[in-house]
Amino acid sequence: MELEAAGISVRGPHAPMLHVTSVSVADHQVVLLTGYPGAGHVAAALGLSGRLKPGTGRVRFDGKSDPALLRRRVAVVDAPGITEPDDALPVQTVVGEELAIAGRKAGRKAVLEWLNEHDAAEHADKRFEHLPVAVRTRLLTELTVARPDVQVVILTMPDRHGGDPHEWFELGSGLAAQGYGVIITCADASARLLDIKAARMGDTDQPDPVQVAPIAPVEPITAIEEEEETEA
């Protein structure tokens, strides 16, 4: 799997939102895409995911220029004004809405079970804005990959909430280990703290993505091994 953007740009009403940019990511890879905080991050996320037609260039998923395919395979997490949740809503309401989008059970019982499985049951009744930064980012990301067709995750400006960049980079790396392609847009300062060579908005010559080792598959236990464990 590969998502590739070649020379894309987005122009706003009065000025360019995203200057000509090329970037690519494949399964088991993480890309930091840096730029000045602002509309460029949202423009990049929407352009890369087929939700906004670039003014120049093209975006391909596995070699296909198909906006519908992009929208199905590429998910945008927590983009300001686009996919970020209403901070005034209770956590369990946001979770229910996201589970429904993923085509999963979204009643109160199912929501509480999901939160419990993801070590967040204590936050069920809180307003979303009161979640710790790391928990907010983790829950939104895990809800996004609950959608069965998603193969690429674009985490949009997680550093705007503060917190430690190592936490959301570890989260992205964990997704990459599972086989997702991950793009994280962030400020230059965050990339420097992480000491990682980052791609830049407005550039076409980019460093290689960070390659993440796949999670080792769990070998099934044979009947003989089960008997040995029982006897032990």
Side-chain angles (χ1 to χ4, degrees):
M1 177 278 296
E2 183 180 36
L3 174 68
E4 180 186 16
I8 64 169
S9 65
V10 177
R11 184 169 182 81
H14 307 292
M17 297 173 64
L18 177 68
H19 291 281
V20 176
T21 301
S22 296
V23 66
S24 65
V25 69
D27 47 303
H28 300 292
Q29 292 181 348
V30 180
V31 172
L32 292 186
L33 181 59
T34 66
Y36 185 80
H41 291 255
V42 176
L46 297 183
L48 287 165
S49 63
R51 291 166 175 83
L52 179 66
K53 184 178 179 180
T56 64
R58 64 176 184 270
V59 182
R60 293 180 175 180
F61 187 90
D62 281 346
K64 298 177 181 178
S65 297
D66 182 347
L69 177 65
L70 285 170
R71 290 192 294 271
R72 190 166 69 252
R73 297 298 187 189
V74 184
V76 178
V77 180
D78 204 21
I82 306 295
T83 59
E84 67 178 353
D86 183 341
D87 280 341
L89 291 175
V91 170
Q92 59 184 317
T93 299
V94 173
V95 171
E97 291 176 350
E98 292 293 329
L99 289 177
I101 291 172
R104 299 178 58 172
K105 292 181 179 179
R108 178 176 172 79
K109 180 180 179 182
V111 167
L112 293 178
E113 287 177 350
W114 190 93
L115 284 167
N116 188 57
E117 290 169 1
H118 292 79
D119 300 321
E122 64 186 286
H123 303 296
D125 295 321
K126 292 180 181 177
R127 287 166 60 107
F128 207 81
E129 63 185 345
H130 294 154
L131 280 176
V133 171
V135 175
R136 172 198 174 98
T137 305
R138 176 173 63 84
L139 290 186
L140 289 176
T141 304
E142 290 173 345
L143 285 164
T144 297
V145 298
R147 304 174 198 171
D149 293 333
V150 171
Q151 291 182 272
V152 177
V153 175
I154 301 177
L155 187 53
T156 315
M157 285 195 293
D159 47 353
R160 75 185 190 276
H161 301 298
D164 183 353
H166 291 87
E167 292 177 330
W168 46 253
F169 185 76
E170 182 179 353
L171 176 65
S173 298
L175 289 175
Q178 296 174 46
Y180 293 95
V182 181
I183 296 175
I184 306 174
T185 80
C186 63
D188 293 312
S190 295
R192 288 195 295 270
L193 284 172
L194 292 167
D195 194 23
I196 292 172
K197 288 185 178 180
R200 284 191 56 82
M201 297 176 196
D203 283 354
T204 56
D205 185 15
Q206 309 285 20
D208 292 335
V210 176
Q211 194 74 36
V212 180
I215 295 174
V218 178
E219 296 295 335
I221 298 177
T222 65
I224 295 176
E225 288 173 333
E226 286 180 345
E227 291 178 1
E228 290 176 348
E229 287 186 359
T230 302
E231 292 174 358

